[in-house]
Amino acid sequence: MEAESVKPDFWKDSENAGKIQQEISEIKEEIAGLEEMKKNLEDLKILPDEKLQKELENKIEKQEFKTFLSGKYDRNNAVMEIFSGAGGQDSQDWATMLLRMYERYCQQKGFKTSVLHQAYGEAGGPQGRIGTKSVTVAINGSYAYGILKKESGVHRLVRQSPFNAQKLRQTSFAMVNIFPEIENLDKEFEIKPDELRIDTFRSSGPGGQNVNKIESAVRVTHIPTGIAVASQAERLQGKNKETAMKILYAKLYQLKKEQHAKELKEIKGEQISASWGNQIRSYVLHPYKMVKDLRTQYETSQAEDVLEGNLEEFIQTELKLKDDSIQ
């Protein structure tokens, strides 16, 4: 890449050149970190130091964790979707709780989040929360997709309903989808202009109030697959279209992944379950407190901590779980 960067025409495509320079910088930083660990290890052989040993163990553990993030798009930014399930206000409130949980987790990781499109539900939730029917969030940060990719699936909440006068126990569901942000796909996914339908609309906030007086929000529909994506975060229509196209590429990639996984399961003779049956985690707040991942069996009674964004143990355990699908 460095040899490429010194060619006379390197900066003709400034956007691509900038990405290459950033990748060079990231690789150099990683190499420097490995060289420092190697030196620390040699130093410890000569002169044992308990503090240095502990620091080195932590560094090696973090580096070892990266071996589980070697998928094609694991280094990329991510796009997250959350959909409330059947159940009215309770499920819409649960979707809002999940959005808050992931935003807090991303903040802890140093990732930047921005809501690209949100369809609001009914107001009147706990602490004045407004329900969410669906939301799309951009998550920017190194390895954002790799770290969050296994959060995709159905999340189940059991609690005393704050919307029920008798405080009856209520079970709510929400679907989470995680995609890598992709600039362009392989040639087999080349999108022709006549395969797209572009619609514009006014971005709106809770209760349908107009945030924007002009039609800057954009919805892009891929006609062959029926996949529709929208973005309303930017003030300029062109920027929203650009963002929507990135989400569309991500969804087409996910579709390719799912088709590949389906083919593998059919070859193995395994039964394919419906996506909404793919429950991955239960959050129980009543009659006891527990969050349990149904794939790894990892669980904790610190349910409130998890909902505050303390997901690291769940995510690390998930990523170490063997996955036969393509990354």
Side-chain angles (χ1 to χ4, degrees):
M1 283 190 290
E2 284 184 328
E4 188 74 21
S5 70
V6 296
K7 289 181 179 178
D9 61 347
F10 177 68
W11 285 100
K12 278 187 177 178
D13 184 350
S14 59
E15 188 176 348
N16 187 56
K19 288 176 183 174
I20 291 172
Q21 289 281 35
Q22 184 181 348
E23 196 170 353
I24 288 172
S25 176
E26 288 173 358
I27 293 171
K28 279 187 170 181
E29 188 180 336
E30 193 160 352
I31 291 169
L34 290 167
E35 292 292 346
E36 186 185 5
M37 281 192 278
K38 189 176 177 182
K39 183 180 179 298
N40 289 343
L41 195 58
E42 293 300 324
D43 291 343
L44 281 172
K45 287 178 182 177
I46 299 166
L47 184 64
D49 181 323
E50 192 174 331
K51 185 182 176 183
L52 180 60
Q53 181 177 327
K54 188 65 181 173
E55 288 176 358
L56 185 57
E57 284 173 357
N58 289 336
K59 286 178 182 177
I60 290 172
E61 188 177 340
K62 286 179 181 177
Q63 191 64 33
E64 184 183 37
F65 182 61
K66 284 186 180 180
T67 63
F68 297 98
L69 301 173
S70 57
K72 184 177 180 181
Y73 296 112
D74 280 2
R75 285 177 174 265
N76 290 26
N77 297 328
V79 177
M80 171 183 282
E81 291 180 329
I82 303 173
F83 298 94
S84 63
Q89 281 185 291
D90 278 287
S91 289
Q92 291 170 10
D93 185 54
W94 174 221
T96 300
M97 290 169 68
L98 283 173
L99 173 61
R100 179 177 177 271
M101 178 184 79
Y102 284 116
E103 284 178 330
R104 296 208 164 192
Y105 174 74
C106 289
Q107 188 177 20
Q108 292 171 19
K109 298 293 288 185
F111 298 158
K112 182 184 175 184
T113 61
S114 57
V115 174
L116 300 177
H117 179 69
Q118 186 165 7
Y120 293 94
E122 300 175 59
Q127 293 87 47
R129 282 198 301 268
I130 296 170
T132 299
K133 292 179 181 176
S134 65
V135 62
T136 305
V137 184
I139 303 170
N140 295 344
S142 183
Y143 288 100
Y145 172 66
I147 288 168
L148 288 164
K149 63 186 177 185
K150 291 196 175 181
E151 288 298 291
S152 290
V154 176
H155 295 246
R156 171 178 173 260
L157 172 70
V158 180
R159 63 171 174 174
Q160 284 181 307
S161 173
F163 302 99
N164 188 295
Q166 287 79 39
K167 298 290 182 184
L168 297 176
R169 191 167 70 167
Q170 176 76 30
T171 301
S172 305
F173 296 91
M175 170 70 87
V176 175
N177 292 326
I178 307 288
F179 312 109
E181 182 187 279
I182 303 171
E183 297 289 338
N184 288 293
L185 281 172
D186 302 331
K187 287 183 180 178
E188 64 183 288
F189 273 100
E190 186 179 353
I191 299 174
K192 297 173 184 175
D194 61 358
E195 294 179 338
L196 297 177
R197 186 175 70 246
I198 313 292
D199 299 307
T200 59
F201 58 97
R202 294 181 185 180
S203 56
S204 61
Q209 64 199 75
N210 287 326
V211 175
N212 200 333
K213 299 290 183 184
I214 59 172
E215 293 190 345
S216 61
V218 174
R219 181 180 294 106
V220 178
T221 304
H222 184 238
I223 297 167
T225 60
I227 293 173
V229 296
S231 175
Q232 63 180 42
E234 304 289 345
R235 291 185 177 272
L236 297 176
Q237 194 179 101
K239 282 284 186 183
N240 279 323
K241 182 183 176 183
E242 187 181 312
T243 301
M245 287 303 296
K246 287 182 181 179
I247 304 171
L248 179 59
Y249 283 131
K251 286 205 164 192
L252 287 172
Y253 164 73
Q254 187 68 17
L255 182 65
K256 180 183 176 182
K257 251 182 84 171
E258 287 171 0
Q259 286 172 344
H260 179 78
K262 183 178 178 180
E263 286 166 9
L264 281 179
K265 287 181 180 178
E266 285 176 347
I267 290 166
K268 292 176 183 177
E270 296 176 9
Q271 189 175 359
I272 303 161
S273 60
S275 59
W276 276 89
N278 186 26
Q279 187 176 308
I280 65 166
R281 193 178 299 142
S282 283
Y283 306 71
V284 181
L285 301 180
H286 180 80
Y288 54 89
K289 295 184 189 300
M290 180 171 291
V291 180
K292 181 174 182 177
D293 195 285
L294 304 177
R295 301 160 298 176
T296 63
Q297 303 305 307
Y298 180 80
E299 62 183 52
T300 177
S301 59
Q302 305 301 312
E304 285 90 350
D305 284 352
V306 174
L307 292 171
E308 285 295 321
N310 295 315
L311 287 166
E312 193 64 18
E313 289 299 324
F314 281 97
I315 284 174
Q316 290 210 22
T317 309
E318 289 157 18
L319 288 171
K320 291 172 184 177
L321 187 69
K322 188 175 183 296
D323 187 0
D324 291 327
S325 66
I326 63 171
Q327 298 298 316

